[in-house]
Amino acid sequence: MRISRICCGLTIGLGALILNGKEFLMGIFRDVTERKQRESALIESEKQHQAISELTTDFIYHITVGIDNNMEIDWITEGFTKITGHTLNDVRFPDLWKHVIPPEDLNPIFELFKEILQGKQRETEFRLRHKNGEILWLKVYGKPEVNADGQTV
């Protein structure tokens, strides 16, 4: 017989052991309080980020830029749909910006991303076509993502 449970911040493992015809109950107790606290903190952090995402009037996104300037959205907050009328599925393809940004505004966007990939923090304004066809002016703030060694990734 073997029983395992998590209770009161402990992992408890019980098992029966027979030695020389006698039955013994063997137990192992492991303190998992620290892990439970980290899990609880992670859940709370996720709730906070979700609330920020839902309540902000702006939107935040993470994209991957290819060598050929194709951009692919990894994730985007709900404010994007509120502002632009587009859903993430509407713009989830490598050359998405070419469909929602007027052609004359593309070069400044590509330059912005090029500078961000060089490790610079930049901002610019550009026009974006709302799903209903209306033209919106947006200001974008770009910041490079860096690894532990400080290199732009």
Side-chain angles (χ1 to χ4, degrees), residues 5 18 25 33 37-38 41 52 54 63 80 86 101 108 110 114 134 148:
R5 288 212 170 130
I18 299 176
L25 184 61
T33 304
Q37 289 171 339
R38 285 191 310 265
I52 291 168
E54 291 172 357
I63 63 168
F80 178 73
H86 296 282
I101 296 176
F110 291 145
K114 189 167 131 185
E134 178 184 353

Side-chain angles (χ1 to χ4, degrees), residues 92-106:
R92 192 180 278 279
F93 44 89
D95 60 349
L96 67 102
W97 297 114
K98 295 174 186 171
H99 299 278
V100 295
I101 296 176
E104 57 273 19
D105 287 2
L106 285 174

Side-chain angles (χ1 to χ4, degrees), residues 22 58 126 148:
K22 292 184 179 179
D58 298 334
F126 65 96

Side-chain angles (χ1 to χ4, degrees), residues 84 86 97-103 127-136:
T84 69
H86 296 282
W97 297 114
K98 295 174 186 171
H99 299 278
V100 295
I101 296 176
R127 292 171 297 162
L128 183 135
R129 190 174 298 106
H130 189 281
K131 193 170 186 172
N132 68 12
E134 178 184 353
I135 296 293
L136 307 172

Side-chain angles (χ1 to χ4, degrees), residues 69-88:
N69 280 339
N70 279 342
M71 295 172 255
E72 196 169 325
I73 293 180
D74 300 314
W75 55 264
I76 196 163
T77 59
E78 294 176 19
F80 178 73
T81 301
K82 292 175 188 171
I83 293 171
T84 69
H86 296 282
T87 66
L88 179 56

Side-chain angles (χ1 to χ4, degrees), residues 108 112 115-116 120-125 139-142:
L112 171 106
E115 290 184 27
I116 291 169
K120 301 173 185 172
Q121 189 167 329
R122 292 291 184 250
E123 63 184 65
T124 192
E125 293 180 353
K139 185 168 192 169
V140 63
Y141 299 90

